């Protein structure tokens, strides 16, 4: 380990968390990374990072639902990035209590630890799902909150706690609200890896959910850079604020599937699977970001368009070693 500044990351073993960990190390940080405790001593996607990256990462097993775990993670850190969350929307219909425990109580534990330890900065992770179906586009941070799933409601609860701690205690928290991040290491529960994974495994009959919703897809390296942007900008420019991170582009799920087929040079037969369709009033039909506040405060803008991001994601899933980590033939929630 070097004497570089130490930052803490919850949810570091996950999709975005592992990319953020890489980006932090690349910009000269040491990382204390929390992976959720498990009896297999698995560190998730952190295990795939290069040795020179892991040399700057201290991996600890813990749980954001446990205050002691969180306090231990944050001790001595100059900043904390809170990404740990339950994120699969379909599973939130089945297990809503666990979403509140992780996404609300877990966030409360992080906020309390930051407050007690005097951690200089906390970057809290929100989600575009808290907006619900767009009432006006593009969606600014002033758009009404309309939570259409238990997952979205639990994330909005964490957001409100973060806002309240800044107002009540001056907690130095900034909230980043990413729009539909995609890329290597993403779970098969998401639409892009679901389609790419099925095609990479040899299928040309693609099963998917509702083809009508539109989304603003942001490549994961750009999302990681957005976290860095709000995590390193002068605190007075970002503290207490929420920032959208998205491209401002919009594509329907149906057009996205056809575009993936073009990128992968595959003629696809797309079929809707009722199991993958959300309840009618729970489906968010349109999301497209206005990220001008983030750009004005930090200079951030996405470096990848959709085609460039898809090309990198396809290359990842076409690697047999990576594809073997997934079960492409089952519906993942």
């Amino acid at each position: 380990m070097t004497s570089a500044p130490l930052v803490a990351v919850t949810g570091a073993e996950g999709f975005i968390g592992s990319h953020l960990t890489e980006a932090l190390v690349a910009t000269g940080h040491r990382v204390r990374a929390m992976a959720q405790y498990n009896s297999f001593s698995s560190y998730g996607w952190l295990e795939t990072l290069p040795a020179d990256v892991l040399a700057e990462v201290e991996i600890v097993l813990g749980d954001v639902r446990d205050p002691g775990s969180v306090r231990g993670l944050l001790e001595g850190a100059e900043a904390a990035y809170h990404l740990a969350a339950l994120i699969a929307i379909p599973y939130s219909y089945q297990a809503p209590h666990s979403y509140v425990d992780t996404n609300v109580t877990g966030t409360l534990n992080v906020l309390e630890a930051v407050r007690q330890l005097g951690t200089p900065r906390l970057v809290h992770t929100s989600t575009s799902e808290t907006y619900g179906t767009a009432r006006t586009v593009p969606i600014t941070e002033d758009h009404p909150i309309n939570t259409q799933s238990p997952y979205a409601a639990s994330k909005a609860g964490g957001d409100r706690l973060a806002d309240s701690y800044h107002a009540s205690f001056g907690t130095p928290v900034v909230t980043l609200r990413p729009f539909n991040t995609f890329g290597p290491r993403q779970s098969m529960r998401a639409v892009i890896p679901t389609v790419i994974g099925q095609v990479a495994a040899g299928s040309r009959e693609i099963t998917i959910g509702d083809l009508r919703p539109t989304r603003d897809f942001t490549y994961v390296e750009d999302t990681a850079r957005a976290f860095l942007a709000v995590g390193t900008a002068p605190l007075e420019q970002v503290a207490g604020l929420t920032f959208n991170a998205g491209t401002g582009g919009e594509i329907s799920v149906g057009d996205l599937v056809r575009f993936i087929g073009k990128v992968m040079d595959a003629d696809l037969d797309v079929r809707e699977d009722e199991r993958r369709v959300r309840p009618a009033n729970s489906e968010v039909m349109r999301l497209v970001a206005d990220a001008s506040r983030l750009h004005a405060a930090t200079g951030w803008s996405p470096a990848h368009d959709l085609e460039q991001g898809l090309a990198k994601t396809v290359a990842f899933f076409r690697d047999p070693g990576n594809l073997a980590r997934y079960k492409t033939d089952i519906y993942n929630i």
Side-chain angles (χ1 to χ4, degrees):
M1 291 274 185
T2 69
S3 58
L6 175 67
V7 298
V9 180
T10 71
E13 79 276 32
F15 164 46
I16 299 176
S18 63
H19 284 277
L20 174 59
T21 297
E22 276 190 291
L24 285 163
V25 171
T27 51
H29 297 82
R30 288 182 298 129
V31 180
R32 185 180 294 141
M34 179 187 281
Q36 186 175 19
Y37 172 81
N38 62 90
S39 60
F40 301 101
S41 294
S42 170
Y43 300 151
W45 286 112
L46 291 173
E47 295 179 357
T48 69
L49 301 188
D52 61 332
V53 173
L54 289 176
E56 302 298 330
V57 180
E58 175 192 357
I59 302 174
V60 297
L61 291 176
D63 197 314
V64 293
R65 295 171 297 182
D66 176 64
S69 291
V70 175
R71 185 181 177 97
L73 178 78
L74 267 58
E75 284 184 350
E78 297 185 16
Y81 293 82
H82 176 41
L83 282 76
L86 283 177
I87 58 175
I89 294 168
Y91 189 57
S92 77
Y93 304 132
Q94 298 183 19
H97 283 85
S98 59
Y99 281 71
V100 172
D101 286 346
T102 300
N103 299 348
V104 180
T105 304
T107 297
L108 176 62
N109 291 337
V110 173
L111 288 163
E112 275 292 285
V114 167
R115 180 186 173 199
Q116 293 165 10
L117 294 169
T119 306
R121 183 179 316 217
L122 168 63
V123 178
H124 165 68
T125 310
S126 180
T127 170
S128 58
E129 284 282 330
T130 60
Y131 292 125
T133 296
R135 299 181 185 181
T136 58
V137 293
I139 296 172
T140 71
E141 293 84 355
D142 296 324
H143 186 284
I145 298 301
N146 178 31
T147 56
Q148 293 176 236
S149 66
Y151 161 70
S154 70
K155 290 296 291 181
D159 296 350
R160 295 310 196 200
L161 277 172
D163 293 343
S164 75
Y165 265 62
H166 177 73
S168 300
F169 310 116
T171 304
V173 58
V174 52
T175 296
L176 187 71
R177 188 167 281 151
F179 277 65
N180 293 92
T181 301
F182 75 98
R185 307 178 198 151
Q186 189 171 20
S187 165
M188 278 286 166
R189 61 166 187 82
V191 61
I192 287 178
T194 290
V195 176
I196 293 176
Q198 289 180 69
V199 176
S203 177
R204 295 297 179 266
E205 184 178 293
I206 304 302
T207 56
I208 203 161
D210 196 330
L211 299 175
R212 299 170 300 158
T214 68
R215 294 292 186 266
D216 182 340
F217 289 100
T218 309
Y219 187 61
V220 66
E221 291 179 10
D222 292 326
T223 299
R225 288 176 44 251
F227 275 101
L228 284 171
V230 296
T232 58
L235 189 60
E236 63 272 14
Q237 295 180 196
V238 297
L241 297 177
T242 295
F243 294 92
N244 291 338
T247 69
E250 181 180 20
I251 187 171
S252 72
V253 173
D255 287 343
L256 173 69
V257 175
R258 287 184 281 273
F259 192 32
I260 292 172
K262 178 183 176 182
V263 171
M264 299 186 75
D265 194 24
D267 187 14
L268 305 181
D269 178 13
V270 182
R271 302 190 178 185
E272 186 176 288
D273 182 349
E274 290 185 0
R275 296 175 302 165
R276 301 173 186 255
V277 177
R278 299 190 204 180
N281 292 330
S282 185
E283 180 61 83
V284 174
M285 295 305 298
R286 191 178 188 193
L287 289 174
V288 55
D290 179 341
S292 58
R293 177 187 288 181
L294 179 59
H295 178 75
T298 70
W300 178 89
S301 60
H304 300 79
D305 63 22
L306 180 60
E307 185 169 9
Q308 290 168 328
L310 285 175
K312 289 186 175 183
T313 308
V314 167
F316 171 84
F317 279 97
R318 277 181 166 160
D319 182 308
N322 294 330
L323 188 61
R325 295 174 178 269
Y326 293 88
K327 299 177 177 68
T328 61
D329 58 339
I330 66 171
Y331 171 45
N332 292 269
I333 65 170

